[in-house]
Amino acid sequence: MNRWSWSDFQLYVITGENYHPGRSMLEVMEQAIIGGADIVQLRAKDTPKEELLAQAFALRELTDRYHVPLIINDHLDVAIAVQADGVHLGQEDLPLAEARRILGPAAIIGISTHSIEQAIEAEAGGADYIGVGPVFPTGTKPGRQAVTTEYVRSAAERVKIPWVAIGGITLSNVDEVIAAGAARICAVSAIVGSDNVADACRAFREKINQQQISQKEKLSIRINGREEQTTAQSVSELIELLGFAGKRMVVELNGTIIAREAWRETEIEQGASLELVHFVGGG
Ligand SMILES: Cc1ncc(COP(=O)(O)OP(=O)(O)O)c(N)n1
Ligand SMILES: Cc1ncsc1CCOP(=O)(O)O
Ligand SMILES: [Mg+2]
């Protein structure tokens, strides 16, 4: 991953110094990158500007060394000063259009969204990616209402630009978020607060990859007009998986009736349309 293919990212890690007393932000973020963080954000809400700027320069040097994109939370001036790859803005921060006017077309601008309406607005306004969250309640943004995996599900259905699920995501609940359709995960506490930051990142990456492999293996097909996902590769396998093995059936695949003898060698391909008629009763 590098800044030229930034949108393929899977694991986005944000700084959170209060989660790792005794370890520096730089050593923690280096471990995150080594473990597989493929985009990072500097977020330090209460840090004075001068110190924030120094942290941003140091993180720029680190991310340059590893060819990882750097995003600055909230502060466009800091992003410009350190030649970061972009900024992340919330609903109450500088409006997207203003940020774009200042930063230009090449900058990566991410927008926090808490509803599908906000997501559609950010997409239409030219955001490069959006944050979807907080999925779960989180101490990193106390008091902010969780959007739940319901919003993750609608983002998966409707958002066309890259989007990342964020907020209260841990190794114990990330499967739920991925199952709701998230292909990109962002975390603070579960990663930077972990004893072994690199291993935590590897574990998150493993879970994201695992899900993507099993999604890829599934074919999207239509059965009697309904969109379905299947791992079946032949008509006979599909009939078995649907629990119709041994039953009297007529199978039509893409408009052609398939004789029972041909079920085993007839492959099912992505986008196939099947009509299955099951005869009930005998006589
Ligand atoms: C990737 C990502 N998503 C959401 C946020 C939150 O941004 P915002 O709502 O502006 O809140 P603060 O982070 O500024 O407290 C984010 N930073 N990154
Ligand atoms: C910055 C931010 N925006 C929405 S949730 C959140 C915090 C994410 O932190 P954590 O992964 O510790 O819940
Ligand atoms: Mg903000």
Side-chain angles (χ1 to χ4, degrees), residues 144-162:
R144 182 57 71 90
Q145 208 190 339
V147 297
T148 80
T149 50
E150 266 318 292
Y151 175 31
V152 175
R153 231 174 283 283
S154 25
E157 273 172 25
R158 298 185 53 191
V159 177
K160 305 279 184 305
I161 58 172

Side-chain angles (χ1 to χ4, degrees), residues 45 73-74 90 93:
K45 298 296 283 188
N73 189 45
D74 295 340
D93 296 324

Side-chain angles (χ1 to χ4, degrees), residues 159-227:
V159 177
K160 305 279 184 305
I161 58 172
W163 60 274
V164 63
I166 179 171
I169 304 177
T170 65
L171 283 167
S172 312
N173 62 24
V174 67
D175 286 338
E176 212 186 308
V177 183
I178 297 170
R184 300 175 181 82
I185 298 292
C186 182
V188 184
S189 48
I191 290 178
V192 305
S194 152
D195 287 342
N196 191 325
V197 171
D199 277 355
C201 287
R202 286 186 198 105
F204 270 102
R205 290 286 299 233
E206 179 70 24
K207 281 180 178 285
I208 301 166
N209 283 328
Q210 230 17 69
Q211 180 81 5
Q212 285 184 346
I213 290 164
S214 54
Q215 294 280 28
K216 260 197 208 125
E217 283 167 357
K218 282 193 182 156
L219 297 173
S220 293
I221 60 172
R222 289 186 89 75
I223 303 178
N224 296 349
R226 277 185 52 155
E227 197 71 44

